Amino acid sequence: MITTPGIAYLARTRDFAAGIVISASHNPWQDNGIKIFGSDGYKLPDAIELEIETEIFARMEKAAGETPLSGGPSLPGSLRLRTDYVEWLAGLISGAGKLRVVVDCANGAACAEAPEVFRLCGMQTEFIHNEPNGRNINDNCGALHPEVVAREVVARGADLGVCFDGDADRALFADDQGNVINGDAVMLLLARDLKRRGKLPGDTVVATTMSNMGLEVALRSAGIKMLRAPVGDKYVLEEMRKSGAALGGEQSGHIILSQVATTGDGLLTALMVLETVARSGKSLAELVADLKVFPQTIKNVKVREKQPLNQIPPVQHAIAAAERDLDGSGRVVVRYSGTETLARVMIEADSQEKMEKHSTAIAQAIQEAIGV
């Protein structure tokens, strides 16, 4: 058992043709899937993934009714490979041992590595949801439920908490007051620290269309430019490679530090945040206190088809009306989910009234046109 970013690291640092991960990622165990990395440690392009998928289904059809192949031998030295990854992570930070941390492993892959990583770093850690049974991954725990670790931080009197998703490519945090610290706040914290140390090329950060306007405002006040990419870590990474940015990520806690890794790595993110907090001498809450979050709502509308939204006049009229009314004091993002038959309507506004009014109007227009 190893995390998704652990496989990405090994694929690019050892003589492997590819890295393959079988995991439910941030989903329930029933949604087990496959992630593939090339020998460079980057996720494969969509076109190559489609070729592989087509061949897999063709072979499955051909092999129907045949006796399944028995399992092959385990990879020689596989435990050593995992240790190499753990030791690499631990060697990246100089120390944050004085912090008391609650760690939620989401009953996933982090259970195999997080205890050893934090031990090597000399941290005082208490672990929860670190007993995976194959079916309890992400089950009311981890980065999908950060309020759980937030409660534990307060109950145990810890300095902060961190929670991973099932394959540990995401990390979210909680401060000592029980507040959840999402990916936007993490990017602000790390961006200012990297800039201060001269390690933020072009003073640029890449976020997504879903990142709050408050992050953009806070970064701008620190002299940092924020670029926006479509939702999805691969789109963030594409923009980072194009712009030369060293830091990018999503609200979900999928943070990419491109000078160190080729994909989001929850353990790496956790170590960087903990080191930054320890170095500052301040609490996590103090370090992100100036992030003023614009009111934001997201409405999901189940649709029967993903018809291009710009071809549905009532939807376009509702979006245009919202943008006119907000007039630069908010944002409208309407898009389809990449994995579900849903349209997502996200509105940010400087008032709760405008936010609710326009999100409801747009969602209703979608529902009437193509809703289920």
Side-chain angles (χ1 to χ4, degrees):
M1 187 161 65
I2 190 168
T3 65
T4 288
I7 287 291
Y9 168 78
L10 294 171
R12 70 182 171 87
T13 58
R14 301 291 184 272
D15 187 23
F16 294 120
I20 302 173
V21 183
I22 301 173
S23 175
S25 188
H26 56 279
N27 299 309
W29 69 270
Q30 299 96 328
D31 293 343
N32 231 7
I34 303 172
K35 295 182 180 182
I36 308 176
F37 295 88
S39 60
D40 57 0
Y42 290 101
K43 289 179 180 175
L44 297 184
D46 289 346
I48 296 178
E49 282 196 348
L50 183 59
E51 280 187 56
I52 293 172
E53 190 173 292
T54 302
E55 185 168 340
I56 287 171
F57 286 125
R59 291 190 183 197
M60 286 172 64
E61 188 174 344
K62 183 179 178 182
E66 294 181 6
T67 304
L69 294 174
S70 60
S74 61
L75 180 68
S78 56
L79 288 178
R80 177 65 244 176
L81 288 173
R82 191 167 72 190
T83 301
D84 286 350
Y85 170 61
V86 166
E87 290 176 349
W88 170 74
L89 279 172
L92 292 174
I93 70 167
S94 56
K98 61 184 179 181
L99 295 174
R100 289 190 58 230
V101 187
V102 180
V103 182
D104 185 338
C105 293
N107 291 317
C111 298
E113 294 148 350
E116 186 64 10
V117 169
F118 287 111
R119 184 189 67 78
L120 289 174
C121 293
M123 294 185 196
Q124 304 173 57
T125 49
E126 297 179 51
F127 292 90
I128 59 175
H129 302 116
N130 60 331
E131 297 181 355
N133 62 20
R135 295 182 180 227
N136 60 358
I137 186 172
N138 304 310
D139 187 10
N140 293 312
C141 59
L144 274 293
H145 300 277
E147 69 282 357
V148 174
V149 80
R151 287 196 299 266
E152 289 298 322
V153 168
V154 174
R156 301 179 188 219
D159 295 308
L160 70 156
V162 56
C163 52
F164 305 108
D165 68 332
D167 67 338
D169 60 1
R170 302 181 183 189
L172 292 179
F173 299 82
D175 65 23
D176 60 340
Q177 299 166 32
N179 299 309
V180 172
I181 307 297
N182 70 11
D184 281 355
V186 170
M187 282 189 281
L188 176 63
L189 173 80
L190 293 179
R192 291 196 287 210
D193 182 67
L194 289 170
K195 185 177 188 293
R196 193 177 303 117
R197 295 188 289 124
K199 295 185 177 182
L200 192 68
D203 291 337
T204 299
V205 169
V206 178
T208 74
T209 54
M210 302 302 284
S211 279
N212 196 276
M213 279 187 73
L215 172 62
E216 196 166 351
V217 171
L219 287 171
R220 190 185 306 128
S221 68
I224 300 169
K225 178 172 65 174
M226 189 178 98
L227 303 178
R228 290 186 186 269
V231 174
D233 61 284
K234 70 176 181 179
Y235 301 116
V236 171
L237 185 56
E238 283 175 10
E239 183 59 45
M240 291 175 70
R241 296 179 81 176
K242 184 165 50 176
S243 64
L247 174 65
E250 302 182 277
Q251 277 185 334
S252 64
H254 199 124
I255 307 298
I256 302 174
L257 292 142
S258 63
Q259 292 180 327
V260 186
T262 55
T263 189
D265 188 328
L267 284 165
L268 171 62
T269 301
L271 294 178
M272 293 301 177
V273 168
L274 293 171
E275 184 183 42
T276 301
V277 171
R279 189 191 306 118
S280 72
K282 298 179 180 179
S283 69
L284 179 56
E286 289 175 304
L287 290 173
V288 297
D290 60 327
L291 177 58
K292 305 302 180 187
V293 177
F294 277 51
Q296 181 187 89
T297 188
I298 299 175
K299 293 187 184 297
N300 293 323
V301 182
K302 197 163 184 60
V303 297
R304 58 180 179 270
E305 59 176 334
K306 292 184 178 181
Q307 182 181 338
L309 293 166
N310 59 9
Q311 294 178 13
I312 308 175
V315 174
Q316 288 305 297
H317 292 157
I319 292 173
E323 290 174 338
R324 281 195 305 273
D325 189 27
L326 295 173
D327 191 26
S329 61
R331 290 192 309 126
V332 180
V333 179
V334 185
R335 67 179 185 90
Y336 289 117
S337 164
T339 57
E340 301 172 88
T341 52
L342 294 175
R344 302 196 195 279
V345 180
M346 189 280 284
I347 300 280
E348 281 177 2
D350 55 3
S351 79
Q352 192 81 18
E353 183 184 358
K354 286 183 180 181
M355 182 181 71
E356 289 297 334
K357 170 186 169 184
H358 293 300
S359 62
T360 300
I362 296 170
Q364 187 173 338
I366 295 172
Q367 178 66 47
E368 292 173 356
I370 54 173
V372 174

